Amino acid sequence: MYIGRFAPSPTGELHFGSLLAALASYLDAKSNNGLWLLRIDDLDPPRETIGASQKILESLNNYGLNWDREVIYQSQRYTLYQQALEKLLSTQLTYACNCSRKSILERSGKPSYDSYCLSNPPSNTDISHPICWRFNTGQETVQWLDGIQGPQIYKESQLSDFIIKRSNNLWAYQLAVSVDDQQMGVTHIVRGQDLLRESANQLLLIKSLKLNSIQFSHIPTLTNLKGQKLSKQNLAPPLSANNISRDLFKALILLGQNPQKSLLNASKADILHSAIINWNINAIPLDYSSIQTGV
Ligand code: GLU
């Protein structure tokens, strides 16, 4: 059974880059007779925008991207994350750390973490720098065959002990997604290439928590004219409800699917139906720069 998912963070409304990720994961799931689930990654209240979750659901509905089952909200699942943290604690795969960003930079000259607290555990009395919990990546090398980007390898020197629970008590992305994807029964993840590195960390957690493995595929990231990733943070324009068919058509061109011209004026249901039948993940390009959408 194929189970895919789309997991936006409600930091703003969906933009065209999000549509590409949503559409690619939807089409891959549906063309494999799978389920496509929706999870709202609302783990970080300070970064969230009021009403964004609702707008995201409306936007997906507008495009006809109907999800299966109930929407899942990460904010309601802290107990599961706590259980995972305890499991990692019991196998010594996590450790407390109270290093500030400044102290890490001063020690090693770079922001990536140098595992200092693994051999110098903080004393609990130091409240000036509250502790976070880090995953001990040890001497691991992570390898996988990405469904779009091909063979991936992250060696020990490229991995650093990432945070799984932050010093402000918020759960970090990697732990939460690993636990949730497992609990939701996700078998395939199709998402943006900006998360490629996170997949290495997610695979480490999958192995350590003895979770089921997942097939990862990363679509290229869409950039704006300045070459920055299209994102809510750099104010990518939200999707509008007025150009549904045109947006879907354009997204299919970017994803290398070569939709028939006549679909440009077809209904969203017809466009999606045809896209599911003709979906070819191998046709997705490694970047979009040479693609002219013509619309
Ligand atoms: N919530 C993450 C984001 O919006 C994506 C999570 C995922 O696809 O794993 O960047």
Side-chain angles (χ1 to χ4, degrees):
M1 175 75 184
Y2 180 122
I3 301 187
R5 52 58 154 187
F6 179 53
S9 305
T11 49
E13 293 183 42
L14 297 184
H15 50 76
F16 194 75
S18 342
L19 177 65
L20 283 176
L23 185 63
S25 64
Y26 173 87
L27 294 175
D28 203 50
K30 293 297 160 183
S31 66
N32 283 289
N33 293 318
L35 296 177
W36 187 66
L37 310 185
L38 177 62
R39 186 180 71 226
I40 299 290
D41 286 357
D42 52 352
L43 271 186
D44 193 351
R47 287 185 58 230
E48 282 157 27
T49 349
I50 296 167
S53 294
Q54 197 47 39
K55 288 249 169 62
I56 289 174
L57 306 193
E58 281 164 20
S59 209
L60 292 172
N61 269 325
N62 288 341
Y63 284 90
L65 299 173
N66 302 323
W67 55 91
D68 299 298
R69 299 191 180 151
E70 298 261 292
V71 182
I72 286 177
Y73 292 86
Q74 287 194 321
S75 56
Q76 295 168 7
R77 299 160 70 83
Y78 293 172
T79 320
L80 291 173
Y81 311 147
Q82 183 64 32
Q83 285 164 358
L85 177 65
E86 281 161 21
K87 199 163 163 190
L88 292 173
L89 260 171
S90 69
T91 46
Q92 289 163 6
L93 281 168
T94 183
Y95 60 93
C97 165
N98 67 345
C99 296
S100 62
R101 266 182 217 185
K102 193 163 160 250
S103 69
I104 298 170
L105 203 59
E106 276 168 8
R107 259 197 324 268
S108 57
K110 46 183 188 202
S112 62
Y113 192 58
D114 56 359
S115 307
Y116 177 83
C117 288
L118 186 59
S119 39
N120 302 279
S123 67
N124 288 338
T125 51
D126 185 0
I127 52 161
S128 60
H129 294 300
I131 62 157
C132 68
W133 291 91
R134 288 187 182 270
F135 179 77
N136 178 6
T137 54
Q139 263 88 60
E140 295 278 356
T141 291
V142 187
Q143 297 190 58
W144 77 94
L145 183 62
D146 192 87
I148 296 168
Q149 305 294 328
Q152 302 297 311
I153 176 158
Y154 284 80
K155 300 209 172 106
E156 185 198 343
S157 57
Q158 295 167 289
L159 299 165
S160 80
D161 293 354
F162 55 92
I163 295 177
I164 51 180
K165 189 174 192 188
R166 291 154 51 178
S167 57
N168 58 4
N169 246 351
L170 294 177
W171 292 100
Y173 164 79
Q174 285 93 350
L175 183 77
V177 285
S178 306
V179 169
D180 286 335
D181 286 333
Q182 163 78 19
Q183 205 270 342
M184 292 158 70
V186 170
T187 57
H188 292 71
I189 294 181
V190 181
R191 62 185 176 193
Q193 195 183 5
D194 51 312
L195 293 167
L196 201 55
R197 185 184 182 83
E198 303 302 342
S199 296
N201 292 337
Q202 187 166 350
L203 280 163
L204 282 172
L205 284 169
I206 286 175
K207 185 173 165 206
S208 306
L209 290 164
K210 301 192 170 44
L211 309 177
N212 297 326
S213 79
I214 291 179
Q215 168 67 47
F216 287 96
S217 301
H218 291 83
I219 66 166
T221 311
L222 200 61
T223 51
N224 63 18
L225 290 174
K226 289 190 202 142
Q228 303 160 322
K229 181 200 160 209
L230 219 60
S231 73
K232 297 161 194 153
Q233 285 73 30
N234 61 33
L235 307 178
L239 293 165
S240 121
N242 302 326
N243 300 315
I244 302 296
S245 295
R246 206 197 64 178
D247 285 350
L248 287 172
F249 186 82
K250 192 169 147 189
L252 288 172
I253 294 180
L254 284 171
L255 292 171
Q257 301 303 302
N258 201 11
Q260 284 172 2
K261 280 250 154 25
S262 58
L263 285 174
L264 186 51
N265 299 313
S267 68
K268 61 188 175 193
D270 286 347
I271 298 176
L272 291 175
H273 180 70
S274 158
I276 292 169
I277 295 172
N278 295 303
W279 177 246
N280 176 9
I281 197 169
N282 298 319
I284 297 179
L286 287 181
D287 75 83
Y288 302 122
S289 56
S290 59
I291 298 188
Q292 304 290 325
T293 61
V295 283

